[in-house]
Amino acid sequence: MRKHILLFTLLLSASSAFAQTPQQWRDSVSTLIEEIRLNPRSTDLRLRKAEANINLRQWEYAIEEYGSVLRLDEHNLAALYFRAFCQTQLRHYDLAKNDYDAFLALQPRHLEARLGLAHVLQKMGRKADTFDELNQIVQMFPDSADAYAARAAYETEQKLYDVAAYDWEEAIRLQPKNADYVVSKVDVLLQQGNFAEARETLNAAVRRGIPRGLLKEWFDKCK
């Protein structure tokens, strides 16, 4: 069965994250350490160093820098958001939840933070709370394909195929050329044994302009 790894993975927003090599990030860390030594109260320098640590997957060092930022500015949204991300990478889910809660208390209408919180609740095994958060996300962001896809992915994982098919369809309606959403819905339909609707879903996707070659594996499964 195809694994749904959609939208519960929190992505770094900095566009520069892919512009440097690991050695360049290491050089940046060295330079920033010296600059921070000279300017220890600079939250900007500490945030930049934490970004470099993240790109080197140095989660503990990044968490340490975000902690320093928050001691200087307890309401720093970037530090709360990305520290939660780092805590999640280390599977420190209680600590990640605390940071997401603090972030959302300051910025409640932030889709990515709410998706991050839902992911953490899922990892903690808190099914009812995960569904509550996902339902709230859909209510708050009814025009977001990501919101529907996040809920659909969790419903699929829980084998709630009827409601998952509906949410995948809503995600497709909002992003009709997203092939991942299409095959996710098709996967659900195949789990239900609904081969005819699965084929029609694929044919409709091709009519909307998704290349048939991208969907070949799924067309074959519908035979």
Side-chain angles (χ1 to χ4, degrees):
M1 176 178 176
R2 182 177 185 272
K3 291 187 179 293
H4 301 280
I5 315 175
L6 293 173
L7 307 170
F8 280 146
T9 303
L10 194 59
L11 300 176
L12 298 181
S13 63
S15 60
S16 63
F18 305 100
Q20 297 193 52
T21 66
Q23 184 57 54
Q24 288 172 319
W25 283 119
R26 285 190 287 271
D27 292 342
S28 294
V29 168
S30 298
T31 300
L32 287 163
I33 287 173
E34 179 59 22
E35 291 181 4
I36 290 169
R37 187 183 68 81
L38 298 173
N39 302 277
R41 296 187 63 82
S42 172
T43 57
D44 178 64
L45 288 174
R46 290 186 180 278
L47 289 171
R48 285 165 56 195
K49 178 178 175 290
E51 179 191 3
N53 291 140
I54 286 176
N55 281 282
L56 292 169
R57 303 180 69 82
Q58 296 172 341
W59 312 120
E60 293 90 347
Y61 289 132
I63 287 170
E64 181 180 337
E65 288 300 343
Y66 291 132
S68 296
V69 170
L70 290 165
R71 283 190 289 275
L72 294 165
D73 175 11
E74 64 179 337
H75 293 152
N76 190 290
L77 291 174
L80 286 169
Y81 181 89
F82 286 109
R83 189 169 72 173
F85 171 80
C86 293
Q87 298 286 18
T88 302
Q89 302 309 302
L90 294 173
R91 302 182 182 180
H92 298 164
Y93 299 126
D94 287 339
L95 295 175
K97 180 181 181 301
N98 289 342
D99 280 341
Y100 280 128
D101 285 339
F103 180 100
L104 290 167
L106 298 168
Q107 190 75 28
R109 293 190 61 83
H110 191 282
L111 175 59
E112 290 77 12
R114 290 205 167 274
L115 290 172
L117 176 58
H119 175 57
V120 165
L121 291 169
Q122 176 192 3
K123 290 297 186 181
M124 295 172 75
R126 295 169 56 168
K127 291 184 180 181
D129 290 336
T130 302
F131 273 120
D132 286 346
E133 183 61 34
L134 290 169
N135 290 337
Q136 186 173 359
I137 290 170
V138 170
Q139 290 170 6
M140 293 179 73
F141 305 97
D143 297 324
S144 169
D146 290 353
Y148 282 102
R151 188 168 68 176
Y154 191 57
E155 290 163 342
T156 302
E157 181 181 299
Q158 298 300 312
K159 302 187 188 311
L160 300 172
Y161 295 133
D162 287 339
V163 288
Y166 169 82
D167 278 340
W168 285 124
E169 183 57 33
E170 287 298 296
I172 293 168
R173 178 179 63 82
L174 292 163
Q175 287 189 12
K177 293 191 177 183
N178 188 311
D180 286 336
Y181 295 166
V182 170
V183 299
S184 294
K185 181 185 177 185
V186 168
D187 188 25
V188 167
L189 293 171
L190 292 177
Q191 294 298 321
Q192 295 175 300
N194 195 339
F195 290 84
E197 187 175 351
R199 280 192 296 273
E200 177 50 34
T201 297
L202 292 168
N203 287 327
V206 172
R207 290 195 294 270
R208 290 194 303 272
I210 296 178
R212 188 181 181 90
L214 286 179
L215 307 174
K216 181 180 183 303
E217 174 187 353
W218 298 92
F219 273 109
D220 292 344
K221 291 182 179 183
C222 292
K223 292 180 179 177

